[in-house]
Each structure stands twice: as structure tokens, then as C-alpha cells.
Amino acid sequence: LYSNSNTNSYFSYDGFSVIGGVSANVTDSVKLAADLQYWDNSSYRVIGDVNWTVATGFSVLLEGSYGSFNIPGPKDSKQSTAMLRFQRSF
């Protein structure tokens, strides 16, 4: 990704970012995935998730992320998040 403006659709940053990801089906019902994003100011973010298809039309997704951001000023530059999602399709 590249932007020459701080206001864009992907991130609030003037510069470039590289994103890569990989996923693998561990079993017929479990899929693992990981993504890594790097910005040209040495900031980065790692995201990993496990998606379990419990039954046809029902899945559970567990996702976690960690990032280290080079932000000028007194803000905390480390961030971690987690999400648990239950999805039912009819």
C-alpha cells in the first residue's frame, strides 16, 4: 500500500506499507491464518486467527493481534486486541 496523504482508506499514514499473509487448513473443520503488516517507519502489526467450522452453517473465529507503532508524542505505541465471533448462516 502507498499513500501520499494521511487521509486514505487503509491507514492514517503518509508512506508505504507491506502486508503478507498465509493460511492453512489444519483439518477439514479448522483453518489457521496469520498476517504481518510493516510500515516504512518500522511500525508493524501481527494478526493470527483460528476459524473452526463447528457444523454446516456455524463457525467460531478467534482472532488476536499485536502491534508496535512508531507514533510521535506521549501515546502508547504498543497495541493488542482479541476478538471472538460466532457466525450462523442459513
Side-chain angles (χ1 to χ4, degrees):
L1 303 172
Y2 174 77
S3 176
N4 60 358
S5 169
N6 278 342
T7 55
N8 59 71
S9 299
Y10 299 103
F11 52 89
S12 297
Y13 185 70
D14 180 8
F16 79 87
S17 175
V18 177
I19 303 171
V22 64
S23 66
N25 291 325
V26 179
T27 68
D28 289 340
S29 63
V30 177
K31 183 176 183 178
L32 300 177
D35 298 309
L36 174 64
Q37 183 172 13
Y38 175 82
W39 286 268
D40 63 352
N41 70 349
S42 298
S43 296
Y44 67 91
R45 176 173 47 196
V46 178
I47 302 171
D49 64 57
V50 177
N51 193 352
W52 175 33
T53 303
V54 180
T56 302
F58 179 61
S59 64
V60 178
L61 175 73
L62 175 62
E63 180 176 281
S65 72
Y66 175 80
S68 177
F69 305 97
N70 290 331
I71 302 169
K75 294 183 180 179
D76 185 9
S77 63
K78 309 278 189 236
Q79 182 184 47
S80 58
T81 63
M83 173 187 74
L84 179 62
R85 180 173 95 184
F86 298 90
Q87 181 172 328
R88 178 74 172 124
S89 302
F90 298 94

